[in-house]
Amino acid sequence: MNAILLSAIWGVLMMFSGVFIKSKTTPKYLAIVGIIVVFIANALELNAFNIGSLHLNIDTKEMLNINSFNLTFIAVVLACTLLFFLLSGRDIEKVGEHVGEYFALIFFVICGVCLSATYNTLLLLFLGIEIMSIPLYILTGSDKRNLKSNEASLKYFLMGAFSTGIMLMGIAFIYGGNANGSFFINNIQIGEGTMPVMIAVGLVFMIIALSFKVSAAPFHFWTPDVYDGAPTVFTSFMSTIVKVAGFFAFVRLFENAFGKVQGQWQNLIVFITVMTLLIGNVTAVFQQSVKRMLAYSSIAQAGFMMLAVFALNDRAKEGLLLYAAAYSIATIGVFAVLIKMNDYTIEGFNGLGKTHPLIALCTTVFLLSLTGIPLTAGFQSKFFMLMAAAENTGKFWLVIVAVLFAAISAYYYFRVIQAMYFKEPGVEVIDDKDISTPFKIMLAIAAILIIAIGIYPEFVVGWMYHS
Amino acid sequence: MDIKAYIALSLTLFTIGIVGVLTRRNAIIVFMCVEVMLNAVNLLLVAFSNMHAASTAAKALPTFASDAQIFVFFIMIVAAAEVSVGLSIIVMLYRNTHSIDVNFLNRLKN
Amino acid sequence: MNNVLQIVWLIPFLPLVGFIITGIFRNNLSKGAAGLIASAAIFGSFALSVFVFFQVKAGNTHVAHYFNLFKIETLTVPFEFKIDQLSTLFLLIITGVGFLIHVYSTSYMHEEDSKDFSKYFSYLNLFVFSMLLLVMGGNYVIMFFGWEGVGLCSYLLIGYWFKNNDYTNAAKKAFIMNRIGDLGFLLGLFWLISVIGTVSYDQVFSATSLARLSTTDITGITLLFFVGACGKSAQIPLYTWLPDAMAGPTPVSALIHAATMVTAGIYMIARSNILYTMAPATQNVVAIIGLTTAIVAASIAIKQNDIKKVLAYSTVSQLGYMFLGLGVGAYTGAVFHVMTHAFFKALLFLGAGSVIHAMGGEQDMRNMGGLKKYMTITNITFLLGCIAIAGMPPFSGFFSKDEILAGAFAKSPLLWGIGVAGAMMTAFYMFRLYAMTFLGKFRGTHDQEHHLHESPKAITFPLIVLAILAVVGGWIGIPEIFIHGGHKLEAFLEPVFAQSNAIALKHEISHNTEFLIMGVSVLLSLLSLLFGLKKFSTYNGDNEVPAIGLTRVLENKWYVDEIYDKVITQPFKSFAAFFNNVVEKKGIDGFVNGTGKFVNYGSRQLRWLQSGQVGAYILLMVIGMLLLFIIQLFIKN
Amino acid sequence: MGTFITFPELLLWLPLLAGIICFFTKDEKSVKAIALTGSLFVLAVALISLLYTADTYATYNAVNYLWLRNLGTSFYISLDGSGRILTLLTAVSFPIIFLSTYKNAYKNAGAFFGLMMLAECGLMGVFIAKDALVFYFFWELALIPVYFLCSKWGGEKRIQATFKFFVYTFLGSLLMLTGIIYVYLHTGPRLFEDGVQSLHSFSLASFYNSNLNEGEQSWLFWLFFVAFAIKMPVFPFHTWQPDTYDQSPTPVTMVLSGIMVKMGLFGVIKWLIPIFPLAIPKFTNIVMILCVAGIIYASCIAMLQTNLKKLVAYSSIAHIGLMCAAIFAMNEMSLQGVMIQMFSHGINIIGLWIVIEMIEGQTGIKNMSELSGIAQKAPVLTIMLVIIAFANIALPLTNAFVGEFMMFAGIYQHSIWMAAVAGLAIIIAAVYTLNMVQKVFYGNTNSVTANFTDISFVQKLGLGLIVVMIFTFGVYPQPMIDLAKEAVTSLTAVK
Amino acid sequence: MGITTISFILLSIMAIGSGIMMILSKNPVNSILWLIVLFFAISGHYILLNAQFLAIVNIIVYAGAIMVLFLFVVMLMNLNAESEPAKNKRLQFIAIISGGSLLLILLSAIMNVKDAHPVMVAGGNAGLIKTLGKVLFTDYVLPFEISSVLFLSAMVGAVVIGKKD
């Protein structure tokens, strides 16, 4: 709750900063302060919740459901955003004129993320998702001179609007099929046995719409193009924080609304999961541009996160938290490095290990984490996901399939590592003037975080279990 | 008047929207087709609300059916917002390429 | 002085020490020192063996148990020496002959520079060490240690002049052939272990464990052991390495490939005689193989011109005789022949060595002749050796061979007949050799001729000693029919073969028949002897006719090597090549790489889905929606 | 009495520490010194720990840290039976490797030796882990540094070769991970010291008595076995190996062939057979046939190799196949044989690599047919090589003999024919070993080997150590056998 | 057949027809006009369903504001019929087929549900502004506030994108 309010308010603040503050660098610091404030507020709320006394208690008419799980998730998201600001803040300034507005939009997105993490009615789910999406359409197109950026934002917008329509249709059918005639997700009367046809139809619509938001195959087609076309900073943002938020909404809806009849729709999830893993991993193998490769890899990772929707048990929730943290940190880190690159192709990374050992080392850690090598957070998150899927009995083969694709994923991540360490450096990999020491330090901290979570995941998961 | 009639109607409109999206290349038209889809949904929601209002459980509280109508109201809000954004994007595109053909730009592929 | 048996470990230890010293200080030892150390080591163990011999003769045998090689619940393999009549006898032969050959070598190898000189002696000592291990070992594993050890040494010594590729090939051949035998030996050993779970002789031959062995077990085990023996003792089909082994220095041939190592097989079978006696089937196999080898080898020897090759084949055929003896149950005879053969064959080789030495490395008999007047001692000793091997009474060869033949006759006259035929050939080719070498007139080049000379003391002394032994060595085994209680050896070895004699069915043959067969064999071989002598005493290269028919086959050693090459080596090589080129590269690795290629290909295909056009994307999405709806609404799970 | 720090921890953290120090050391000389001293410390620890094998010292040999309790896992490491042997092997090998390659110069030496030490840490971890998750962690951790070592400092085709190796093994271990998860879900609950109760448990003990029916065990068996088979490697999972051995820098190859392959065997011994007792009888024969086929197959190919490194690689495949077959023969004799052989094979093959390294280092050639007559130039080297080579083909009085003897005897007790067929390898091994000796060392020197120099003192030291060990354990292997006793008995109990 | 049924049918035909016309007409301006017709039809349905407020809002917001906006943009770009090259026929065919089959699937699934749910036509006061207003500012105050964020972001977006720089 605190997070929602504060992020919205701070968004407005940033908006005006854009108007009143001429300096291009100030908004960044303002934003950093803001995100820290939001984080603290959220932490307080989490703590208060865990000891059972909420300070400011707004009556939301049960439209929001605050619990330690989604508060922890918000905390993770905010932390990642902070990291994102610290690592890539200066690159946001480079995108265009309206620095303040960019930050404002990002804050609005955060607000939407918090909403879709805590919503308790379909209405707020819808609003949350929209509040997440609309600023992103803008951010995608924010590099106005660049045709790729324009194209990306147009594609993103059209398909996004389309998926909105689909989601609304789903909501309508769910509402219609729900004898209680209510939009509260925990007040949907499904009854015993097979669910009513209308609910089923609505459910499928919802699966489609949410799969679109989390870029799960076969509704992923916007992802590579949009991620590729958008300014790299914003790609980094939307491929991490927004995506995991989408997953969180996904899991939340299906756990609370349709958890009881899981058996009746699980096949769809299995289908989508396998498709996503297949397309994401296999297509990434061939990519030459690291940016695009990361776009596909984000699809592949989404395939793994789908396992949480598949399993829907406590392990899955923990896994989702871990995944949110591990995947976001690693990806933000990689993108932060990628932005500095002069050449986005894999050859562009040649010999980075020689010229910038520290950066190369951190990048390696991130990539290893994305691959899921032990002692990195990536392993723990994948591991939890697999455990969750395995605990959900009956479809163990899915676990094996997932693992096989994980092996493929090693292929494209390691191509970058090979380029960095085993190839001779080309001309001027990075121009050193925009590599600041703080940047290096932040990168190192991110890498250390990855390792820390990898060694001791309870560091993240533990928050769920304080109450 | 049975609900099925309304379902049929709105699904038809919905499909018309989809087909429009699929067949047209003019970004604005495509976007308008999306609007058609949204309106189909709105219609359906209102119909459902009255269906629920007709059901016995509803008799209890008078404002029962208004949930859905509020929802429709919000949908319209969102639609409006989307339109503003969408149109601005399209205009920007037009400014850069002098075309609003959705297939005109495909630098991003594979 | 029972304590000799307590320090029996010194016997192998001394050569080991010699090996280590000469080996490590090879760079700074003078030739004299090296030779001295090595010979002294051997002499020391010879002296000890003599003491031991008297101890054993006095009747107190001994099993010296030192430590456990390894000990697990199901099997214990101690490091132990067994000193009994059999091993003592071999001890004497090995150390005695070994010592003489060391002495001989000091002079024979003198051209080598001191490095290689002491390397040579270290190998020689190492060989003696392993050989002693082989015969003293108190269980099959220790025996196998020696067994492989001697193989290794023969490999090293055959390839002693390692610059020459043919020599190293010969060495390789020897080692691999032996390995084949060893595999048989090992499998037999495993079989033994899996049935009775022990390897120590005393326990294996104890009545209780023998009772646990079924007939199949015994037959199988003995056969497998015999395969090992074939490898080591150069019997058909594994004999071809021995003639090639002549690539090594002549003393080595004398020591390893005539006197000691090749008799390891006989020792092993004699050691486990009871097992063989209990497996008549195997005995027949042994007898037949032995006899065949004797004949075939002898036939080949007839047409050889390389002096050492002749001796090599004669060794093979003599070994055949010994196996014949073992096969027909005349264990004493076999061991007896081992001893006598050690004497005269060593003598012959050393003599040949002396000749080659004089001829400056020339080994082809066609270029010799008339050496009688140049090297007297060599000539006489060599002649004695020839007579001995030809089995003329009262030389040593006569007694031992006769005993074996008698045993063969007792089994079946046919075996005896063939045996005698072999004996005739032996007499023939030996005197062909003698005549071509020493009689007639010299056929070599002039510079060879004018530095012909008698060899130095260090060479002649062993010759003389061995000659004496070759003459009198047989007198410890004079059969009953001449002197009552004349067969000292049999009496001495009696305890070793007691078990066998107890169960073996003895068919006695009357004295008259024995006299008869003796006379016949002696007469016949005397005839062929004289024939050979007459035919070749005037040999000069001119009456060479291109060989045809059987002689051709004989000259080419029955084409055995070629056949092996075609039937075994080549097919195996191509088999391996098939593995390497097809299965490995195309098959397995092809599959592995193929998977990777397939993923790449799939990636290149899948990316076409990403056409870059919104319309197409949404269309695909709609199709996806269709799929999902169909799955959900129409496919009932 | 409580112990301040235990042996397993020392074995684990010392290499890690040394490795980290190496990373931050620039000067090559001191890096080498650090690495060497570090490995020597580890060796010392390993040797000292041998004095404390008795049960009364249990507290010295095991430690259990709380970790991820609600998953039912804990950082539990301890030294015992087979693990102890292999840790010893690891501890012995590394100093020898460093010694024998001491004069080699590496660009960016700090990273090189750092990674080497990390690899040692990982290997140690694998051998002492008593918790499935920890085991898997170290299993991968051992792989990663080796991957980097190979593809940074290797030969010209290194990147493809080692990447194949990496993906191959990574795939295998991932499959194992799924297997681990499945078994985990069928283990009983676990109560921790501090009262936290978890539904299932990752501890090895609870894996041993998991409630899996025969059907489940029989497919889980393969999930695990494939991972181990790839690591060993067993025919037909071996094709990554020759190229990798050929391409990687020799010190790494030594680690790979001497120690890492043992990870697979160790896995089979500790993590496969006891966990799936019901599946073993079903697949024993299949696996053994695979192994025996592999033995012959690899020997045949080795016979044709002209590339020294590949020759050794294939011969190693044959040896490993024999060991694997012996493990599945599952009787005391064979298992004891394996325990000894795991150690001996490590020593011998490292020796072989050292020699090859010296030859290649001096001539830059690993193709046998281009070499000749080295024996004249380098007698000492030749003698050492001959000893090691003959130890490699298990000549009596060398360490390998006892092991192979027992293994063959054990296999024979399981099946006569397999023993007989596998026995053929004895002959073929002789063939290719002697070929190698003849081609490389005998004959006359040629242009390449004309000015070949004999080995230096340090190298003598390295090889000398190996030769000494060869003979010591060849004549008196009993200590090794006693060390392995408990492991063996626990395994034979499974059957 | 009551008056409501008849008007329902008429409005439905009007809606669908205008929808089809919208996607068929080549000239954007025409399709915009057709769309407005569609909106009126839907508003008619709202009235039929006794949701007067929504009906009005629909007219004002959609047909009024949004459509004018569209029209404005189209005029601004003075797009005429030729400006849009037709998609290739095969693709269009596939599109229509898949869309149609989607419709059929859904209908066939929903229509064979036996039990009937009558829709309360021209009754209840749920749709009255009074009721809705009360509900909106009591129960739905949170979403109402939140939606302001949406508008803000949209506004900022429009600025960022549209502003010339």
Side-chain angles (χ1 to χ4, degrees), chain A residues 402-432:
Chain A
V403 153
L404 290 179
F405 284 116
I408 294 182
S409 77
Y411 182 84
Y412 48 83
Y413 290 126
F414 271 66
R415 274 173 75 201
V416 181
I417 296 181
Q418 287 169 352
M420 287 194 297
Y421 284 106
F422 314 141
K423 305 270 177 67
E424 285 315 304
V427 285
E428 186 60 17
V429 186
I430 303 179
D431 37 6
D432 288 324

Side-chain angles (χ1 to χ4, degrees), chain C residues 71 169 172 179 584 589, chain D residues 164 297 314 435 438 478:
Chain C
K71 175 179 190 309
N169 281 334
K172 227 167 66 187
R179 267 259 146 159
E584 178 80 352
D589 209 14
Chain D
K164 185 175 172 185
Y297 178 83
Y314 278 106
N435 271 332
Q438 183 187 21
Q478 196 58 39

Side-chain angles (χ1 to χ4, degrees), chain C residues 119-130:
Chain C
K119 184 176 93 184
Y120 171 84
F121 274 103
S122 65
Y123 286 171
L124 227 46
N125 274 349
L126 179 60
F127 168 77
V128 174
F129 163 73
S130 344

Side-chain angles (χ1 to χ4, degrees), chain D residues 47 59 73 88 97 101 111 123 127 137 143 151 180 195 202 205 208 226 309 320 330 338 349 356 398 423 430 455 465:
Chain D
L47 290 177
T59 51
T73 179
L88 187 62
I97 293 172
T101 61
L123 289 161
F127 297 141
F137 265 43
L143 170 64
S151 26
I180 289 179
F202 273 109
Y208 280 175
V226 166
K309 291 185 154 186
I320 296 296
M330 288 280 282
V338 174
I349 200 160
I356 291 171
T398 63
I455 56 180
L465 272 170

Side-chain angles (χ1 to χ4, degrees), chain C residues 69-74 145 148 162-163 165 168-169 172 179 190-191 572 576-577 584 588-589 593, chain D residues 164 238-239 297 304 314 332 376 393 395-396 401 406 408 412 426 435 438 442-444 475 477-478 481:
Chain C
L69 204 54
F70 56 85
K71 175 179 190 309
I72 60 180
E73 278 154 22
T74 49
F145 276 26
E148 287 264 1
F162 58 74
K163 293 196 187 67
N165 233 342
T168 46
N169 281 334
K172 227 167 66 187
R179 267 259 146 159
F190 297 147
W191 193 329
F572 184 67
E584 178 80 352
I588 299 171
D589 209 14
N593 298 337
Chain D
K164 185 175 172 185
H238 64 278
T239 47
Y297 178 83
L304 297 184
Y314 278 106
E332 192 206 3
Q376 300 168 44
I393 60 174
L395 220 64
F401 171 76
M406 287 178 161
F408 272 118
Y412 187 95
I426 295 184
N435 271 332
Q438 183 187 21
Y442 293 164
N444 271 316
V475 179
Q478 196 58 39
I481 291 171

Side-chain angles (χ1 to χ4, degrees), chain A residues 51-286:
Chain A
I51 60 179
S53 72
L54 283 170
H55 303 308
L56 72 164
N57 204 341
I58 300 168
D59 174 18
T60 65
K61 303 270 195 277
E62 281 97 29
M63 284 195 175
L64 290 182
N65 176 346
I66 314 285
N67 60 35
S68 62
F69 177 42
N70 49 34
L71 285 177
T72 318
F73 175 78
I74 292 173
V76 169
V77 167
L78 291 173
C80 295
T81 321
L82 177 60
L83 181 71
F84 169 68
F85 281 164
L86 290 168
L87 272 173
S88 310
R90 297 186 58 230
D91 304 290
I92 296 178
E93 292 160 6
K94 289 201 186 65
V95 174
E97 294 304 307
H98 316 283
V99 184
E101 284 81 352
Y102 299 150
F103 281 109
L105 289 170
I106 289 175
F107 270 98
F108 291 144
V109 173
I110 296 295
C111 176
V113 167
C114 301
L115 266 176
S116 50
T118 53
Y119 70 91
N120 196 27
T121 102
L122 293 169
L123 175 56
L124 280 184
L125 168 65
F126 167 62
L127 280 179
I129 295 229
E130 282 308 311
I131 295 176
M132 270 199 292
S133 309
I134 288 178
L136 286 181
Y137 302 149
I138 318 279
L139 291 175
T140 310
S142 57
D143 186 0
K144 288 185 280 180
R145 295 271 168 278
N146 180 341
L147 283 182
K148 279 191 170 182
S149 168
N150 300 345
E151 177 187 357
S153 79
L154 178 68
K155 283 179 174 171
Y156 193 11
F157 168 73
L158 286 178
M159 297 171 82
F162 184 77
S163 77
T164 309
I166 288 173
M167 172 190 285
L168 287 171
M169 195 44 125
I171 291 173
F173 270 109
I174 290 170
Y175 171 74
N178 174 9
N180 298 346
S182 125
F183 289 101
F184 286 93
I185 58 173
N186 49 13
N187 186 16
I188 293 174
Q189 191 186 54
I190 296 172
E192 312 310 319
T194 56
M195 53 186 160
V197 179
M198 286 210 236
I199 296 264
V201 171
L203 179 137
V204 177
F205 272 119
M206 291 309 281
I207 288 183
I208 293 164
L210 288 167
S211 308
F212 174 90
K213 289 295 173 200
V214 300
S215 71
F219 310 106
H220 67 286
F221 295 97
W222 59 278
T223 318
D225 295 2
V226 173
Y227 286 5
D228 194 0
T232 314
V233 242
F234 299 135
T235 310
S236 156
F237 180 69
M238 71 174 115
S239 68
T240 56
I241 289 153
V242 180
K243 176 176 293 227
V244 292
F247 267 108
F248 199 88
F250 206 154
V251 169
R252 185 162 167 69
L253 174 65
F254 279 81
E255 184 196 7
N256 293 311
F258 311 111
K260 292 191 281 310
V261 291
Q262 199 188 11
Q264 298 180 38
W265 47 269
Q266 213 172 19
N267 290 351
L268 299 181
I269 302 298
V270 172
F271 171 76
I272 291 173
T273 313
V274 175
M275 287 290 287
T276 315
L277 285 168
L278 174 76
I279 291 180
N281 283 303
V282 173
T283 322
V285 167
F286 191 73

Side-chain angles (χ1 to χ4, degrees), chain C residues 271-532:
Chain C
R271 173 56 79 192
S272 32
N273 56 73
I274 173 64
L275 295 178
Y276 281 82
T277 321
M278 286 168 71
T282 320
Q283 273 194 308
N284 296 337
V285 175
V286 176
I288 291 157
I289 295 275
L291 197 53
T292 330
T293 318
I295 297 297
V296 170
S299 64
I300 296 173
I302 288 174
K303 294 303 292 182
Q304 297 305 311
N305 292 322
D306 181 322
I307 182 166
K308 287 182 72 178
K309 281 274 163 68
V310 178
L311 291 176
Y313 280 105
S314 102
T315 310
V316 175
S317 92
Q318 294 304 313
L319 290 167
Y321 275 107
M322 298 175 205
F323 277 101
L324 175 60
L326 295 172
V328 299
Y331 299 109
T332 323
V335 176
F336 188 18
H337 199 57
V338 169
M339 186 183 82
T340 53
H341 176 263
F343 296 149
F344 54 68
K345 186 53 62 72
L347 168 61
L348 289 169
F349 263 113
L350 295 186
S354 159
V355 169
I356 295 163
H357 193 251
M359 295 287 295
E362 177 60 72
Q363 297 198 2
D364 191 335
M365 298 188 293
R366 283 168 297 191
N367 308 335
M368 298 181 184
L371 300 180
K372 184 156 93 231
K373 54 181 170 306
Y374 299 101
M375 24 200 338
T376 336
I377 303 173
T378 313
N379 172 28
I380 297 165
T381 49
F382 200 91
L383 181 55
L384 293 176
C386 293
I387 302 170
I389 192 174
M392 292 298 113
F395 288 67
S396 60
F398 165 73
F399 296 104
S400 52
K401 190 182 288 182
D402 167 70
E403 190 170 350
I404 292 174
L405 287 177
F409 187 87
K411 192 110 177 173
S412 99
L414 178 64
L415 293 175
W416 174 80
I418 303 170
V420 171
M424 291 170 63
M425 292 193 222
T426 314
F428 177 77
Y429 64 69
M430 280 319 296
F431 277 86
R432 168 174 174 273
L433 167 66
Y434 176 73
M436 285 179 77
T437 314
F438 290 93
L439 305 182
K441 59 175 183 20
F442 187 70
R443 297 181 293 274
T445 61
H446 281 291
D447 52 354
Q448 276 180 330
E449 182 159 12
H450 69 64
H451 78 62
L452 279 175
H453 58 77
E454 180 54 274
S455 309
K457 289 275 171 299
I459 290 188
T460 48
F461 165 68
L463 290 181
I464 295 162
V465 177
L466 283 168
I468 297 163
L469 284 171
V471 177
V472 305
W475 297 353
I476 61 163
I478 303 166
E480 294 291 318
I481 52 172
F482 295 120
I483 309 163
H484 181 64
H487 205 317
K488 304 242 177 2
L489 187 66
E490 186 158 27
F492 176 67
L493 288 176
E494 204 283 332
V496 180
F497 304 123
Q499 278 176 296
S500 315
N501 300 340
I503 59 171
L505 47 149
K506 278 251 172 285
H507 13 231
E508 279 301 330
I509 49 175
S510 70
H511 287 187
N512 311 355
T513 25
E514 193 163 356
F515 272 122
L516 184 63
I517 59 174
M518 217 181 273
V520 171
S521 65
V522 171
L523 194 61
L524 288 174
S525 26
L526 184 61
L527 289 177
S528 62
L529 179 160
L530 295 170
F531 175 59

